[in-house]
Amino acid sequence: MARMKKRSLRRKDGVWDPLADSSQSRQRAQTVPLTPQSASPAYRLAYIDDDFLCREELRPVRLQLELLKTEMMLEEHGINSTVVMFGGARIPEPGGDAWAAKNDTQRKNLEAASVYYDEARKFARLCSEHSAKLHHKEYVVVTGGGPGVMEAGNRGADDVGAPSIGLNIVLPHEQAPNRFVTPELSFNFHYFAIRKMHFLLRAKAVVVFPGGFGTLDELFETMTLMQTGRMALVPLILFGEKFWRTIINFEALAEFGTIAPNDVDLLRFVDTADEAWEIISSFYQTVDSKAVPMANGRR
């Protein structure tokens, strides 16, 4: 029998597997002499052929890969639950440049909104300090991974040496990963739908800071899932009551009849990090975390 390079025949999960793995085939394929045949795109191994994987017909496979990659890596890191932080990418830290301002009014408003950067950072610290008591397996901070409120969330976790997750997405602007995301937990997405799933798959609480269309989208997606009984009724907390009541008249929706009167009760309003953490802490002291209630879909 020809001698081959030795390797462990036990997979990471302990299963015996005598077959050559795909990484070996990838390495061997790179050593094949260059000929017109081996240089042809048709000869590439399918799973390392970027052009093939990006074909229109492979969209279902790409959707599955984006779902699987993040799920598998979070599982490998032992992360069981998260606290989700949504909020505007354009909100600067105190004293920072309001780089997104298009006029003096926007600059004034964005600079004043820097208070939310501070509160987001403090809130993430509070979550992460509690997470440390649980070996960073529970209440792990997750943000969209970008600047503004997202950066503040990851930064607050970093302040106390805790890991935090960043779920970035490929956009023309604003969405490079901030430097405070834990590198091993910094993910990137093409599909908004799969990214949204990962935000909520482990969510024990969702906090939302002032933001734009993206933040509103994430807020209403979360509210709809709770309202329709597709997601447990975990704490959903809005920072900055004046901001939210200025841009959305929730009571008017209830009065008109397009939502139930008690749908407004899905939301809690706060202005400080301490208030938000108290809501979350009290909730899980009084509710069985293994049996959080769900709406019946007929609210």
Side-chain angles (χ1 to χ4, degrees):
M1 179 182 295
R3 295 181 63 84
M4 299 178 63
K5 183 178 179 181
K6 291 182 179 181
R7 71 173 182 90
S8 173
L9 297 182
R10 294 279 182 190
R11 297 198 315 237
K12 290 181 178 179
D13 56 8
V15 173
W16 177 264
D17 184 0
L19 298 177
D21 62 33
S22 56
S23 62
Q24 286 181 315
S25 292
R26 179 179 60 187
Q27 293 168 2
R28 289 170 178 169
Q30 294 172 347
T31 67
V32 172
L34 186 63
T35 66
Q37 291 75 26
S38 65
S40 169
Y43 186 77
R44 297 174 194 155
L45 288 166
Y47 55 86
I48 59 172
D49 185 343
D50 290 342
D51 292 333
F52 172 69
L53 288 175
C54 287
R55 286 179 58 156
E56 183 66 25
E57 300 90 337
L58 272 289
R59 178 178 289 171
V61 175
R62 294 194 300 274
L63 285 161
Q64 184 179 24
L65 290 173
E66 287 209 342
L67 182 63
L68 278 171
K69 179 179 179 180
T70 303
E71 174 61 27
M72 290 169 67
M73 295 186 76
L74 291 178
E75 186 174 325
E76 288 171 0
H77 281 82
I79 295 173
N80 297 323
S81 71
T82 59
V83 175
V84 182
M85 297 179 65
F86 294 134
R90 306 183 184 200
I91 293 176
E93 66 177 301
D97 178 40
W99 54 270
K102 304 301 182 184
N103 53 54
D104 290 340
T105 299
Q106 286 197 346
R107 182 171 299 281
K108 178 182 177 181
N109 288 334
L110 287 172
E111 288 175 351
S114 66
V115 64
Y116 296 116
Y117 186 105
D118 265 354
E119 291 301 324
R121 185 176 176 180
K122 181 178 180 180
F123 174 75
R125 284 201 300 266
L126 292 173
C127 293
S128 299
E129 287 169 351
H130 184 75
S131 180
K133 300 173 185 176
L134 301 168
H135 310 290
H136 300 301
K137 306 298 183 185
E138 309 284 347
Y139 297 97
V140 178
V141 168
V142 56
T143 79
V149 167
M150 295 175 280
E151 176 186 285
N154 297 118
R155 187 174 183 178
D158 186 70
D159 286 340
V160 292
S164 67
I165 304 164
L167 304 181
N168 282 85
I169 191 160
V170 178
L171 294 175
H173 54 82
E174 297 181 8
Q175 201 54 32
N178 70 68
R179 63 190 177 94
F180 300 104
V181 178
T182 300
E184 297 80 13
L185 300 174
S186 181
F187 303 99
N188 201 15
F189 292 84
H190 170 72
Y191 296 106
F192 269 100
I194 302 300
R195 179 176 180 249
K196 285 183 183 178
M197 286 186 67
H198 279 299
F199 272 125
L200 299 180
L201 276 171
R202 287 171 165 78
K204 272 195 144 178
V206 178
V207 299
V208 190
F209 292 79
F213 288 160
T215 302
L216 292 171
D217 177 47
E218 291 155 348
L219 168 61
F220 280 106
E221 176 91 13
T222 306
M223 290 182 69
T224 301
L225 289 170
M226 290 187 185
Q227 177 202 43
T228 55
R230 298 300 299 272
M231 178 180 175
L233 298 172
V234 302
L236 176 56
I237 302 167
L238 274 58
F239 270 79
E241 184 168 4
K242 181 179 179 181
F243 170 84
W244 289 109
R245 292 199 181 279
T246 298
I247 64 168
I248 306 171
N249 192 333
F250 297 102
E251 284 72 19
L253 286 171
E255 183 178 344
F256 193 85
T258 49
I259 63 173
N262 61 341
D263 282 337
V264 179
D265 297 336
L266 293 169
L267 302 168
R268 298 288 299 274
F269 295 93
V270 301
D271 288 305
T272 69
D274 289 323
E275 292 176 272
W277 178 249
E278 177 59 28
I279 289 172
I280 297 169
S281 179
S282 297
F283 180 86
Y284 285 105
Q285 287 174 7
T286 57
V287 174
D288 181 358
S289 61
K290 297 179 181 178
V292 176
M294 300 182 77
N296 61 17
R298 299 188 301 274
R299 294 170 67 83

